[in-house]
Each structure stands twice: as C-alpha cells, then as structure tokens.
Amino acid sequence: MAVIEHDEWIRRAELIGKKAEPMVAEAEKAGCFPLELRDYVHELEMHKALRPLQYGGSGIGAFTFSEIVRTIANYNASAAWLVYFVVLHEQWVAFLDEKGRQEVYDSNKFTGDIFMPLGQIEYVDGGVKMSGQWSFGSGVLWNDWMGLGAIVQIPGEDPQPCLVNVEKAQLEVIEDWNPFGLRGTGSHSVKVNDVFVPWHRILPVLNAKNKGEPVGGHYSDEPIFKVPFMAFFCLGFPAISTGIAQRVARDLKVRVEGRQRILYNMKEWESPIAQRNLAEVMVRVDAIEAMNTRYINQLEEWIEVGTPVVAEEEKNKMSAWRSHIGKEASDLAFHAMNLLGASATGSGDPLETAARDAFMVYIHLGQIYEDNMMAYGRTQFGLSGHPLL
C-alpha cells in the first residue's frame, strides 16, 4: 500500500460520513451500522491509516487521525466511533510481539478491544487459557479480532493488565446493546470459555503505557511510538465531541432561520434573543474546537521531539482536557434542543440523536469527568493520577 497523504484520508472520511448518514435510522433501530458500511470502510483501507509503514500502513500522526474522526462525526457520532476504533486498534497491535502483529496484519481484518481486565487466566504451555465475559465491545460485529482485558503475568514481567487477542471464531457475541446513545456502534458483550491464546498475541498494557515500548523492543520511528500511549489512544473522544458540537451549531442555525414563531408573528431569527442564543452556541463551539486543537498540538509536539513518556501531571492534564471537551459538547447539544423546544425532541431527530450520542461520549470509561478531574488534581499535589489512563 502506497503512503496516503492527509487530504486523501479526509476525502475518504467525507465519503464514509455521506454513506453512513442515510443509514442512521436503521442503525439506531438495529443497534449497529450494517456490514455494508463495514465493507466500505475496509475497501477504503481505513484500518491501515495508523499501521506502521513496514506492515503496509501509512503511519499517520495525531492531526490526521483526529480530523478523520471529527469529519465523520459531523455526519453521525456512531459512525465516527466505529471508524475511530477501526483505525485506533492498529495502534496496540503494533506493540505486540513481532509474530503477533504480523499475524493480525496479514489477516487484513478489523481489530477491537475491551480493556477492562475481567478475564480469568489459566497458564498453560505456550500461553494462557482464558474465560470470562465483557461488556461494551464496540464494533464487535465488524471485527475479526478482539483484545480482551485480563491480569496476566507474562514470562519475565510482573502481573499487569493485558490485552489478550482472541479470534472472532473463538468468542460468543451476546447481542445486548440497547443504550441511550451511540446506538449504531453495536457495542455488544462478548464471552469466551477456556480459549487458548499464545504468548505472542498478549500485550502487556502497562509496558506500552509507561515505557512506550513494543514487545521485543523498538522497530520503527512511527508517530505512535513517539507519543504517550494513552493520550494518543484516546484522541478520538474529543474529536467526536468536537464534530458533534459543530453539527449541532450548524443544524441549530438552519432551524432558527426557518422557524416561524406564530404567537409573535415573526421569524425566529429576527428576534434579538434568538440572535444572542445562536452567538453563544457558536462561541462555545469555538472554545471546544480550540481545546481540541490544543490537545492535538500537544500530541504533535511530543511526536516531533519523540516523547513517549511524560510526567503524571502531563498525562492527566490531557485526560482532564478530554473530559472537559466531552462535557461541554454534551451540555451544548442538550442546550440546543432546549432552544428549539419540542420540535427537536422527536426520536431520530438529528439534534436529539446528537445529544444522546454526545452524552454517551461524555460518560465513557476513559472520559468520566469526575475521575479525570480528580486524577489531574491529585497530580497537582505530587500524588498518582489515573491508574489506567
């Protein structure tokens, strides 16, 4: 695969967004976007965007990755979420043992994960046997590999949270996804029973997070190896929130322009109050965009000088920024619904969908506002930050 430049990746993101938008109503009902969209995303080779060059990828940086996700979120957050993870999960695959990453990349299939270390492990010759059940398997219906969380003691390492990479055929999908928002992501539960996984398909997460080193040592100078692991891993959350906020502001303006206030015999846009309200929304979007830009710029600065490990305060500041963006976008979306009243509350209304989706991004495990603000605050007094992020 030839290296693809930024503008082409964004063009492909636009194509995905436009293809996904007419599918939203059915995806909301079915609980996942159809395999037709999955196949289209695969045809556009989005899963190779982040993959290291030597494995046929493009090795994109933080800015391009964020813009791919934000662009699709302008159309629908669930579609952006799925593509974010399609691209993203090639990151941790790149940190696997050489045999493990080669196996996944050669398969040319999508990879998912669930970080929560819930698996029960039995040590056997050549690897482990794992059993357990996990919730929130985003995109599992699209994926052929799933990294499932468990505490594992890899030979020569301390016990630590690991991603144990299981083939789709080895797991059971429990189709229980029926949430408030992000309904189109198909984030069903998964279950495995006594599944054998060889050592080369197990990633020690703390080594990647705290040392920035792939299993077996560095083999490439790609951006993903030159930046704090979790800060880069989570960049899609603020990108989705930003894309939702932009969509909300755009839709609000169109609807205010076309809304007739019958009781006052005037167009709503003629009201100084409506003008003021729209201006406030637009300025709040400007602030969300600015913080997201600052987040990406920080990642790019670290990539430029090669900084895979940073102080606790710096790591946790990034998490606090992400949570702030998520909260602001969620609040903004519900505020826009409030400004439009009952006309925006119908099930499937674009603003109603955007508000539900923004809220779900805001409360994701890696985004929980209280957790991330507390962790950042702890680092101000020399204490440890978030145990995972």
Side-chain angles (χ1 to χ4, degrees):
M1 175 181 171
V3 175
I4 296 171
E5 301 298 331
H6 173 88
D7 289 349
E8 174 60 17
W9 284 120
I10 303 310
R11 186 188 75 84
R12 295 183 186 194
E14 287 278 0
L15 290 174
I16 293 167
K18 289 175 181 177
K19 189 173 184 68
E21 194 168 33
M23 301 177 175
V24 170
E26 184 57 34
E28 291 270 313
K29 181 179 178 182
C32 190
F33 275 93
L35 296 183
E36 176 188 350
L37 185 63
R38 188 274 308 269
D39 293 343
Y40 187 61
V41 172
H42 192 278
E43 177 186 331
L44 293 176
E45 299 189 297
M46 302 304 290
H47 58 302
K48 297 182 180 180
L50 204 60
R51 182 182 297 185
L53 296 173
Q54 69 192 74
Y55 292 101
S58 278
I60 62 172
F63 174 65
T64 298
F65 188 10
S66 177
E67 284 297 283
I68 288 170
V69 178
R70 184 196 60 79
T71 297
I72 301 172
N74 275 186
Y75 293 91
N76 178 256
S78 287
W81 187 274
L82 285 168
V83 177
Y84 165 39
F85 285 152
V86 161
V87 177
L88 171 67
H89 293 143
E90 301 265 325
Q91 178 195 10
W92 66 258
V93 171
F95 281 77
L96 283 171
D97 174 90
E98 181 179 6
K99 185 178 179 181
R101 57 183 181 260
Q102 190 72 60
E103 182 179 8
V104 175
Y105 290 151
D106 284 350
S107 75
N108 198 31
K109 303 294 186 180
F110 291 167
T111 304
D113 66 40
I114 308 174
F115 264 84
M116 192 60 66
L118 301 175
Q120 293 89 52
I121 296 297
E122 176 189 353
Y123 296 95
V124 296
D125 187 34
V128 303
K129 284 188 175 181
M130 182 171 68
S131 299
Q133 183 169 324
W134 297 256
S135 300
F136 307 113
S138 290
V140 65
L141 298 180
W142 282 23
N143 299 326
D144 282 275
W145 298 94
M146 284 295 290
L148 300 174
I151 302 296
V152 182
Q153 183 167 14
I154 294 175
E157 301 282 353
D158 293 329
Q160 63 179 287
C162 290
L163 285 175
V164 182
N165 198 20
V166 174
E167 294 180 84
K168 178 74 166 287
Q170 296 178 294
L171 60 80
E172 175 188 353
V173 177
I174 303 167
E175 296 197 19
D176 56 0
W177 183 242
N178 185 27
F180 176 65
L182 293 176
R183 293 183 59 82
T185 63
S187 300
H188 299 294
S189 297
V190 299
K191 182 178 182 179
V192 299
N193 184 35
D194 248 8
V195 168
F196 173 73
V197 181
W199 290 120
H200 66 261
R201 278 203 258 125
I202 301 176
L203 176 70
V205 173
L206 292 187
N207 281 6
K209 173 180 177 284
N210 296 334
K211 300 178 183 178
E213 291 183 2
V215 177
H218 285 290
Y219 63 91
S220 172
D221 198 31
E222 307 287 334
I224 56 173
F225 301 117
K226 300 168 69 177
V227 66
F229 183 89
M230 292 306 296
F232 190 95
F233 191 90
C234 294
L235 69 78
F237 297 127
I240 293 173
S241 294
T242 302
I244 294 172
Q246 292 169 330
R247 170 69 185 263
V248 165
R250 185 176 71 243
D251 286 1
L252 178 64
K253 181 181 178 183
V254 169
R255 291 166 78 157
V256 167
E257 285 179 322
R259 192 180 186 201
Q260 177 70 38
R261 300 305 303 271
I262 296 173
L263 293 179
Y264 299 99
N265 192 30
M266 63 186 299
K267 290 285 188 179
E268 183 161 18
W269 70 264
E270 297 173 323
S271 164
I273 297 173
Q275 295 160 9
R276 180 261 184 203
N277 288 340
L278 180 61
E280 181 184 59
V281 166
M282 294 174 68
V283 169
R284 290 174 67 180
V285 173
D286 289 341
I288 290 169
E289 291 172 340
M291 180 158 275
N292 186 57
T293 297
R294 187 174 179 187
Y295 188 98
I296 298 305
N297 286 346
Q298 179 63 81
L299 292 177
E300 291 288 1
E301 288 173 16
W302 283 330
I303 290 169
E304 179 67 24
V305 297
T307 315
V309 179
V310 297
E312 279 286 290
E313 181 179 347
E314 291 299 304
K315 285 189 294 186
N316 285 273
K317 178 170 69 175
M318 300 294 275
S319 299
W321 285 358
R322 290 195 309 271
S323 291
H324 181 75
I325 292 169
K327 183 177 187 300
E328 286 295 300
S330 178
D331 290 349
L332 181 73
F334 282 102
H335 178 59
M337 287 180 63
N338 184 48
L339 293 176
L340 289 174
S343 65
T345 61
S347 179
D349 182 279
L351 274 179
E352 183 264 351
T353 302
R356 288 189 287 104
D357 289 347
F359 181 76
M360 290 292 285
V361 178
Y362 163 51
I363 63 170
H364 181 270
L365 175 65
Q367 294 286 101
I368 297 175
Y369 189 87
E370 296 300 331
D371 283 2
N372 286 341
M373 290 300 169
M374 180 183 69
Y376 182 37
R378 283 174 56 85
T379 67
Q380 302 304 301
F381 300 101
L383 303 174
S384 61
H386 197 289
L388 177 61
L389 301 176

